[in-house]
Amino acid sequence: MLERRSPSSHDDLVDHLVRSTALPRGEAARVVLDVLAYFDETTEEFVRRRHRELQAGGATNPRIFERIAAELPHRAVAPPELSLRQLRRIVYG
């Protein structure tokens, strides 16, 4: 989960969102915190979350793990390449 940062640590970004969008300041601050939380997610957390989401959508494990493997390199900070076996081990231990 996201570590709480001081309210002023992202004021410049919040100010930019308020100027460049129709978002009120409170919503812009929430968006910044949501984005930071998204990018704070570890590789393992991402793999588990995406597995749950794709499984809930009816996808089968072979397609799920191939899709996750294809998505990982496009993360903001791409993790090292993981094999399908490594992905399964993250989910199932």
Side-chain angles (χ1 to χ4, degrees):
M1 199 54 159
L2 176 67
E3 177 182 318
R4 286 286 176 189
R5 292 169 169 84
S6 68
S8 64
S9 65
H10 300 292
D11 280 346
D12 58 333
L13 180 55
V14 173
D15 291 342
H16 172 74
L17 287 174
V18 169
R19 283 191 310 271
S20 64
T21 69
L23 292 174
R25 186 165 187 77
E27 286 184 45
R30 184 191 55 77
V31 167
V32 168
L33 291 176
D34 285 350
V35 169
L36 291 172
Y38 177 83
F39 287 114
D40 200 34
E41 187 176 49
T42 67
T43 299
E44 289 79 8
E45 291 166 340
F46 173 79
V47 169
R48 289 183 188 111
R49 177 180 59 79
R50 286 299 288 147
H51 182 269
R52 282 190 307 272
E53 292 170 353
L54 294 168
Q55 195 173 48
T60 60
N61 274 342
R63 293 189 65 85
I64 289 172
F65 291 118
E66 287 177 14
R67 180 149 176 200
I68 292 171
E71 290 176 357
L72 280 171
H74 301 286
R75 300 280 296 159
V77 178
E81 187 173 335
L82 300 173
S83 70
L84 298 180
R85 181 176 182 202
Q86 288 172 307
L87 293 172
R88 284 190 292 274
R89 290 184 75 192
I90 288 172
V91 173
Y92 297 113

